[in-house]
Amino acid sequence: MSKLNSFAIIGSGFIGSFILSAFLDQVPLPSTIVVLSRDPESKTFPPEVKVVKVVDYNDVDAVAKILTAYNIDTVVSTVGYAGIKLQKKMADASKKAGVKLFAPSEFGSPTDDGAPSYYASFQEKDRIAEYIRTIGLPSIRFYTGCFINNSLLSITGVRVNGKINIIGKGQSPVSFTLEEDVGGFVAHVLTTLSIDSLADKIFRLEGDRATLRDIAKWYDKEIAYVEAIPGPRSEVLSMLSRVFESGAGSTGWNFATNREGEGEDAAGSANHFWRGHEWKGIRDVITQF
Ligand SMILES: NC(=O)c1ccc[n+]([C@@H]2O[C@H](COP(=O)([O-])OP(=O)(O)OC[C@H]3O[C@@H](n4cnc5c(N)ncnc54)[C@H](OP(=O)(O)O)[C@@H]3O)[C@@H](O)[C@H]2O)c1
Ligand SMILES: *[C@@H]1O[C@H](CO)[C@@H](O)[C@H](O)[C@H]1NC(C)=O
């Protein structure tokens, strides 16, 4: 049963920092943890982490050389939206360097099997997954649903007008996972499961499950039925709110059948791989707002 033990994390932004600290919490520590960053000087990293500057991810040979030098077997991409397309080059470099598993930046709702065109960023993530498949690089996708601590309150627009803003009826169940649980799960499964049980799989997490109406009720907030989420970043937040309304905010959602998957394809079906872990729920994290 062959396992992975040298990891490169691409990017060190919001969710990337949770993934990195979770890798550093693993006992025993993986043999190698490397962070690739365009601007390593902008942050401080603990001494166990090797940080390597990448000037341009389009330079496939240069990136492949770094991965080869550290004998990397697993690449976890945590790039933000601006870097999604560049992951083709990152995958090319990984393939060239003999990487055994590539995790593209997902960390949200399902993106496979036909997300409609008005969810352009989902389609882009799926095209990356498809590309990785065509070059014969084994991959893994993590669906986490909405991040509890950072994203839930933004998507409801509650900070703008004090109300839970809902596009539609707000009765579709949505998956939520705490950022620390996302990082912990990724590090746990990548360091403990065999390559065979990880390769070309989708892991569907769910720390909690709720409708927007449930959330309004739990926190005794007024609901506003709106056409768009008010405030800054209205366009992207409204898109995400429509994803929730459609049912696709659940990590078990299947765009092809327009309903929830079952068994291995159900929301939260991967939770059990982190045996004994107590997943945080929305009300454990957000006590009031
Ligand atoms: N489920 C949710 O609620 C939720 C919320 C937020 C994000 N997400 C998802 O999580 C993933 C990561 O998002 P994030 O918010 O953590 O990202 P982020 O903080 O915006 O960016 C992560 C890192 O990506 C690298 N990066 C950014 N632009 C790049 C570019 N053009 N080329 C190469 N690298 C680039 C940067 O690393 P360096 O500067 O070190 O190179 C950056 O620190 C995305 O797939 C996003 O959709 C999900
Ligand atoms: C939630 O985010 C806030 C602000 O970033 C932070 O202070 C707090 O520790 C976080 N809570 C959890 C449970 O992650």
Side-chain angles (χ1 to χ4, degrees):
M1 199 174 81
S2 166
K3 288 196 187 153
L4 301 159
N5 76 106
S6 54
F7 299 87
I9 301 175
I10 300 184
S12 54
F14 181 68
I15 201 59
S17 59
F18 286 93
I19 294 173
L20 175 62
S21 22
F23 269 108
L24 294 172
D25 284 344
Q26 295 296 314
V27 180
L29 219 54
S31 71
T32 311
I33 304 171
V34 180
V35 170
L36 306 191
S37 171
R38 297 162 307 163
D39 187 16
E41 291 83 23
S42 66
K43 291 191 198 96
T44 51
F45 294 91
E48 310 90 288
V49 182
K50 299 168 186 78
V51 188
V52 182
K53 183 179 171 81
V54 173
V55 180
D56 181 4
Y57 284 101
N58 286 301
D59 189 345
V60 170
D61 288 339
V63 177
K65 217 179 239 173
I66 297 166
L67 299 174
T68 305
Y70 288 98
N71 205 10
I72 295 299
D73 54 36
T74 313
V75 172
V76 182
S77 167
T78 69
V79 296
Y81 185 66
I84 295 291
K85 280 189 181 139
L86 262 187
Q87 292 180 112
K88 281 190 181 180
K89 301 292 180 185
M90 297 167 185
D92 287 340
S94 302
K95 175 81 184 166
K96 196 159 192 173
V99 163
K100 296 179 186 136
L101 189 68
F102 186 95
S105 186
E106 290 276 352
F107 311 114
S109 314
T111 59
D112 61 300
D113 245 343
S117 58
Y118 36 91
Y119 305 155
S121 56
F122 290 30
Q123 290 191 330
E124 231 165 74
K125 286 181 175 178
D126 195 38
R127 276 197 285 272
I128 293 300
E130 182 55 34
Y131 179 77
I132 296 170
R133 207 167 16 244
T134 60
I135 64 171
L137 177 64
S139 74
I140 181 167
R141 292 161 92 168
F142 294 101
Y143 295 163
T144 62
C146 177
F147 298 159
I148 291 177
N149 200 22
N150 186 64
S151 308
L152 190 162
L153 295 185
S154 330
I155 294 176
T156 59
V158 70
R159 291 197 187 98
V160 179
N161 60 6
K163 297 174 185 169
I164 300 295
N165 296 274
I166 293 179
I167 299 177
K169 296 196 173 78
Q171 289 175 311
S172 307
V174 178
S175 305
F176 295 91
T177 305
L178 181 64
E179 289 84 338
E180 271 160 28
D181 283 343
V182 170
F185 182 89
V186 169
H188 179 75
V189 296
L190 292 181
T191 53
T192 57
L193 300 188
S194 71
I195 301 176
D196 284 349
S197 49
L198 297 165
D200 301 323
K201 299 256 168 34
I202 294 177
F203 282 70
R204 300 169 192 272
L205 316 189
E206 186 175 74
D208 204 345
R209 185 170 180 86
T211 69
L212 290 177
R213 285 203 198 183
D214 292 334
I215 291 166
K217 204 188 303 161
W218 292 345
Y219 295 97
D220 199 18
K221 293 285 172 191
E222 205 180 306
I223 292 176
Y225 293 98
V226 295
E227 299 280 307
I229 302 303
R233 299 174 61 233
S234 175
E235 200 172 322
V236 61
L237 296 178
S238 299
M239 188 274 273
L240 293 169
S241 186
R242 283 191 290 269
V243 170
F244 285 9
E245 180 65 13
S246 73
S250 166
T251 54
W253 190 254
N254 183 314
F255 284 109
T257 58
N258 253 325
R259 48 197 183 88
E260 293 284 331
E262 286 164 16
E264 273 189 11
D265 298 327
S269 52
N271 285 24
H272 72 93
F273 286 112
W274 196 359
R275 216 166 286 146
H277 179 64
E278 286 179 24
W279 297 81
K280 287 273 193 331
I282 294 169
R283 286 168 287 182
D284 300 322
V285 177
I286 302 176
T287 47
Q288 58 171 56
F289 60 85

